[in-house]
Amino acid sequence: DQQVKQNSPSLSVQEGRISILNCDYTNSMFDYFLWYKKYPAEGPTFLISISSIKDKNEDGRFTVFLNKSAKHLSLHIVPSQPGDSAVYFCAARSAGNEKLTFGTGTRLTIIP
Amino acid sequence: DAGVIQSPRHEVTEMGQEVTLRCKPISGHNSLFWYRQTMMRGLELLIYFNNNVPIDDSGMPEDRFSAKMPNASFSTLKIQPSEPRDSAVYFCASQFRGAFSDLNSNQPQHFGDGTRLSIL
């Protein structure tokens, strides 16, 4: 049972435009969500997170939006840069539990 | 600052052999996690420790897998005997775990660069 789903395995975006990566979850106990970025032959790198008490968190070019009623979150990258080309993982955990449940990832390619 | 350090980066061995993967967490972090990444199952948690104590090993696939954390700066994941289906990338991650009641204590997990394991 996939509790965190990233339905788009890949996404291509023109440099300078907005990249939107989506993530859906089924477990209503999740209360903290994270996005990780992964380059080939490296480990996932933490990018941005959001607690369930918020609906938006922004850090520079990266913004995460959380819609609890829809059990949906998204990561916006604007403007997109070639260095943003990577695999992006959505992850979630529930209160008091350190276990992270990961989605299967979306490969983002920024076209120069 | 040194991140999570894993060794070896690559391991190729024949089935039946014992494999030991090593991890040094970030200094000051009190939780450590072992993950496995495969094409079929993505990133899955195998086991995690808090203050060197195993908390949840429900993700460990079989008795052939074992993990230890003898001190705050070192952990091992051992597979004995290894099988071809164990081939995967194994990641270690560490995190500072704050107080449960403090939402601001949410901290992300920081990952090492992984060990790519190939069992022939």
Side-chain angles (χ1 to χ4, degrees), chain A residues 36 41 43-44 93 96 98-99, chain B residues 9 31 56 100 106 109 112-113:
Chain A
Y36 282 83
R93 71 178 185 221
E98 296 173 274
K99 292 175 67 170
Chain B
R9 289 298 312 275
S31 292
D56 187 335
F100 170 78
N106 272 324
Q109 295 178 19
D113 285 336

Side-chain angles (χ1 to χ4, degrees), chain A residues 2 31-32 34 36 38 41-46 49 51 53 89 93 95-104, chain B residues 9 31 33 35 37 43 45 48 50 56 58 91 95 97 100 103 105-114:
Chain A
Q2 194 74 23
D31 73 340
Y32 184 59
L34 308 91
Y36 282 83
K38 186 182 181 304
E42 295 183 10
T45 302
F46 169 70
S49 63
S51 168
I53 62 172
F89 291 96
R93 71 178 185 221
N97 190 337
E98 296 173 274
K99 292 175 67 170
L100 281 181
T101 301
F102 281 85
T104 50
Chain B
R9 289 298 312 275
S31 292
F33 307 79
Y35 289 87
Q37 184 182 28
L43 256 173
L45 178 67
Y48 80 93
N50 186 248
D56 187 335
S58 59
F91 290 103
Q95 172 191 328
R97 183 192 183 194
F100 170 78
L103 284 176
S105 69
N106 272 324
Q107 294 290 322
Q109 295 178 19
H110 296 267
F111 284 74
D113 285 336

Side-chain angles (χ1 to χ4, degrees), chain A residues 5 19 28 35 38 67 73 112:
Chain A
K5 301 177 185 178
S19 295
S28 58
W35 284 94
K38 186 182 181 304
N67 182 334
L73 65 155

Side-chain angles (χ1 to χ4, degrees), chain B residues 18-93:
Chain B
E18 177 179 292
V19 172
T20 300
L21 310 182
R22 298 172 175 79
C23 176
K24 178 178 169 56
I26 292 173
S27 177
H29 283 189
N30 54 2
S31 292
L32 184 140
F33 307 79
W34 282 101
Y35 289 87
R36 178 171 68 176
Q37 184 182 28
T38 60
M39 289 295 293
M40 292 296 294
R41 301 174 67 90
L43 256 173
E44 52 179 347
L45 178 67
L46 300 177
I47 184 172
Y48 80 93
F49 297 82
N50 186 248
N51 293 322
N52 312 338
V53 175
I55 302 300
D56 187 335
D57 65 354
S58 59
M60 296 286 261
E62 299 170 35
D63 291 346
R64 298 183 296 105
F65 285 69
S66 62
K68 293 182 180 180
M69 191 163 187
N71 57 61
S73 58
F74 183 66
S75 177
T76 59
L77 177 67
K78 189 172 292 188
I79 309 172
Q80 166 63 19
S82 58
E83 296 182 4
R85 61 193 167 120
D86 301 331
S87 298
V89 181
Y90 291 80
F91 290 103
C92 175

